[in-house]
Amino acid sequence: MTSMSRRQLMIAATGIAAVAASPRIVFTQAAASVPTGPFKVEPLAYPVGALEPHIDALTMEIHHDRHHQAYVTNLNNLAYEHPQIAAKPIAEILGNLDNVPEAIRTGVRNNLGGHANHTMFWQIMGPGGGKPEGEVLAAIDRDLGGMEKLQSEFNANGLKLFGSGWTFVTVAKGGRLALETRPNQDSPMMDGKHALLGNDVWEHAYYLNYQNRRADYLKAWWNILNWKAIEERYVAAKAGTLGL
Ligand code: MN
């Protein structure tokens, strides 16, 4: 055969398409039985557009409903075979990754870390968030040299991060604050601390609106912090009762 008619080509192409599509059908059927717990993505406490113009609604929707959900879906798949990863507080699992079976250790580190980081992230943001006050402001002044210094160093840290990761203010036992960055979805809980607040500098967090302008995103982000929630986190961390 030296040439194919148009019809033969179409039949051949259809055959290829059918072969290519069949694994998808299998996947879709399997997806119906994918475990939906024990880990869950909590709904946002505000509408997806509430942080505009600093973070646009579509970025929030994709970030929360798809990226965060993907970490949680991966976790639930891991927990299906290894229920022990859901049987202890998240801080305890992340703080003792050596106790997690080696076969799933990286998966737990990435996906449980991602779940913890994002749960914090949604919680510390909100519309009309005010200014730091009370105990948390006193700690910022004491440990980080005040708000202006904190913002400038925190943003510089976020800008310097090569690739994906987070810039954090961490809180240690006893309430001491520090500025830190972590790659990928690593969590301060891996070192027995908590994130007081943190900004996600993975490109998925800002690319639709800011493209390569990470510095602009870092600067704008301070407009949408919920300082009441951050102060509550600080008080809970000091008391040893902060979950995520
Ligand atoms: Mn993210």
Side-chain angles (χ1 to χ4, degrees), residues 63-64 67-68 71 114 117-118 121-122 165-166 185 200-205:
H63 199 174
H64 179 271
H67 288 279
H68 187 177
Y71 299 123
N117 287 339
H118 285 86
F121 188 59
W122 313 128
W166 290 75
Q185 292 298 350
D200 186 346
V201 297
W202 284 57
E203 284 187 341
H204 66 227

Side-chain angles (χ1 to χ4, degrees), residues 63 71 117-118 120-121 154 157-168 180-188 198-206 214 217-218:
H63 199 174
Y71 299 123
N117 287 339
H118 285 86
M120 172 278 299
F121 188 59
F154 179 98
N157 283 347
L159 205 54
K160 270 187 295 196
L161 250 177
F162 188 77
S164 297
W166 290 75
T167 172
F168 290 112
E180 298 181 38
T181 61
R182 307 271 160 156
N184 304 315
Q185 292 298 350
D186 282 1
S187 161
N199 196 358
D200 186 346
V201 297
W202 284 57
E203 284 187 341
H204 66 227
Y206 62 87
R214 188 191 281 188
Y217 161 68
L218 281 159

